[in-house]
Each structure stands twice: as structure tokens, then as C-alpha cells.
């Protein structure tokens, strides 16, 4: 579907047998030999918990972050695909944005990296082309371990580059990267989809499998800035819609987050969830029907 854009998170991987996020966290602790020193507490935001684990290991055992992220890359690459990954691909979306590091959505390790520049650390332009679909790994990928975004410092650097791209313009040496800000380019009708960020201001986006916890500071900033442009500054037209899908059983406990999403011009769609598989299949069918209506 030539105009379809999806933002897909890690929860779809929970349908696969094997590594869970909890398992990965324990593997990180074991790799760093920090299991008896670090207290895992849900009150610790994960990016700061990662910093605690890494800094403790770095001080005591001289562990390099490159080695830790390489270990994480190997572990996440072990995640296996499941029928939902295939169902998503069957939509033939134009773009899939994902916070996942592995390539289960692609159905295999992609051959063609089509990014306009090579990014070793951050992920403003990180993209792969597989068939009709462009895949954007916005938090890094397991082929490039240092790009894997886990820690608070990494989130901060990513957000800095995102804001430059949208608001003030970029400073990359490559001639292929537009220097003018996204706002200016939208104003002058020069949007070429060099970055996944472009899509948030121009294309309808369906978000699912993503908890959108507040530690995702990059995405929350982007949603907030987009909403401010639309309702307050009104410097550019923002005609697109953003949809966030959530199981009905989580609506009550997530009401505070859903209120914030609504304030930021995100349409919340709650669906029954008798099983995780049926829940995601229902999302995919709704999206398919919506896109067919637009054809």
C-alpha cells in the first residue's frame, strides 16, 4: 500500500518463542557481572538503569560499551519471527518505522542500506529497503552495535540531532543531507523523505506494539513539537493523522498516558484482546480496510 506508514514496537516479538525483554536484561546483568550489585526496580527508568549497569561494570571491570552493545546485538539477533511479522509484511506498507534492533519485520537481514549517510551511532537517517517497503530502525540495529539506543546519554544525543533536523537545520558534511530545517522545507514544499522524522509531519502513521513509555523522550518530543506546530505556532500545514492502538484491558491503567497522547493530536484506538495474536491480527485488518477505503 503505497501511502501506508507503520510504527511498530517490540511487543510483537513477545509472540515469538525465545528471548524476552526480561531475559535480555538478565543477560546484560550477567555479562557485566553486576547481578549482585544492581537492584532492578520498576521505578528506575530503563535508560538510567542501563547507565547504572554499564557505569558500574566500567568502573569495576573496565568493560567497554562497544563490547556490551556487541553482546546485546548478538542476543537480539536471535529473536525469531512469528505470523504477525508476516501479516505486517503482507500489507506491503510504504514505510515501517521500528524501535526494534533486529530484522524480524524484514523477514531476514537486509542487503541494501539506503541511508543517505552512514550513521555509526545515531539513527536519523538509518533505513533499509526490502521489496516495496522502506524500513527505518530509529533506535539502531544489530548490524551496527554502537547504534543500539539504550542509555540516557544516547537518547539525549539522538534528541539533539532530531531537534536540529526539524527546527534549526543540520550540520552534516555530506552534500546529500539537506541543510535547511524540516520546517523550512515543508514551508517551501521540498520534502524528500530523507529521514523517518519527515513522515511524522506528512503521512498518516499507525502505531502498535509500542508501549510509548515516557522514557521514549525522542518520540514524545516529536509528538509534542508536531502538536505545537499544528495548534499553536501554525507555521506549516500538518494534515496527517497519527493513530495509537492499545488493548482494551490496558485502557484504564493507561488513562494518564492516553490523555497526553490525545492532547498531542494522537487518535487512540482501543481493541479487544482475548489473545495477543488475535489483537494484532485485528489491528492489521483494520489498517488494511482503512487503506482500501482510501484507494
Amino acid at each position: 500500500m503505497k501511502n501506508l506508514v507503520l510504527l511498530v514496537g517490540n511487543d510483537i516479538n513477545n509472540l515469538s518463542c525465545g528471548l524476552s525483554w526480561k531475559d535480555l536484561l538478565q543477560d546484560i546483568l550477567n555479562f557485566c557481572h553486576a547481578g549482585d550489585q544492581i537492584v532492578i526496580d520498576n521505578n528506575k527508568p530503563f535508560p538510567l538503569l542501563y547507565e547504572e549497569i554499564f557505569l558500574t561494570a566500567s568502573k569495576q571491570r573496565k568493560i567497554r560499551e562497544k563490547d556490551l552493545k556487541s553482546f546485546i546485538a548478538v542476543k537480539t539477533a536471535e529473536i525469531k519471527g512469528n505470523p504477525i511479522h508476516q501479516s505486517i509484511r503482507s500489507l506491503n506498507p510504504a514505510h515501517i518505522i521500528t524501535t526494534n534492533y533486529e530484522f524480524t519485520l524484514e523477514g531476514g537481514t537486509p542487503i541494501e542500506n539506503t541511508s543517505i549517510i552512514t550513521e555509526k551511532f545515531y539513527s536519523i537517517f538509518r533505513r533499509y529497503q526490502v521489496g516495496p517497503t522502506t524500513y527505518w530502525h530509529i533506535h539502531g540495529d544489530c548490524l551496527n552495535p554502537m547504534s543500539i539506543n539504550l542509555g540516557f546519554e544516547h537518547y539525549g544525543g539522538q534528541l539533539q540531532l532530531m531537534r536540529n533536523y526539524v527546527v534549526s537545520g543540520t550540520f552534516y558534511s555530506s552534500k546529500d543531507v539537506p541543510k535547511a530545517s524540516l520546517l523550512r522545507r515543508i514551508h517551501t514544499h521540498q520534502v524528500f523523505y530523507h529521514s523517518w522524522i519527515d513522515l511524522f509531519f506528512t503521512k498518516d502513521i499507525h502505531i502498535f506494539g509500542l508501549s510509548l513509555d515516557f522514557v521514549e523522550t525522542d518520540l514524545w518530543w516529536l509528538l509534542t513539537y508536531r502538536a505545537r506546530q499544528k495548534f499553536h505556532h501554525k507555521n506549516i500545514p500538518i494534515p496527517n493523522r497519527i493513530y495509537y492502538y492499545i488493548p482494551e484491558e490496558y485502557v484504564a491503567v493507561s488513562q494518564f498516558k492516553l490523555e497526553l497522547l490525545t492532547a498531542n493530536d494522537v487518535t487512540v484506538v482501543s481493541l479487544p484482546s482475548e489473545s495477543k495474536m488475535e489483537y494484532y491480527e485485528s489491528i492489521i485488518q483494520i489498517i488494511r480496510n482503512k487503506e482500501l477505503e482510501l484507494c
Side-chain angles (χ1 to χ4, degrees), residues 22-35:
K22 184 177 180 181
D23 294 332
L24 178 60
L25 179 56
Q26 189 58 55
D27 287 340
I28 293 172
L29 286 171
N30 294 340
F31 180 84
C32 293
H33 304 283

Side-chain angles (χ1 to χ4, degrees), residues 1 15 46-48 123 137 153 194-195 243 283 288 292:
M1 297 182 179
L15 286 163
F46 182 79
L48 287 172
S123 301
H137 286 264
E153 192 278 333
H194 295 301
S195 169
Y243 303 90
I283 291 176
R288 190 189 307 277
L292 289 173

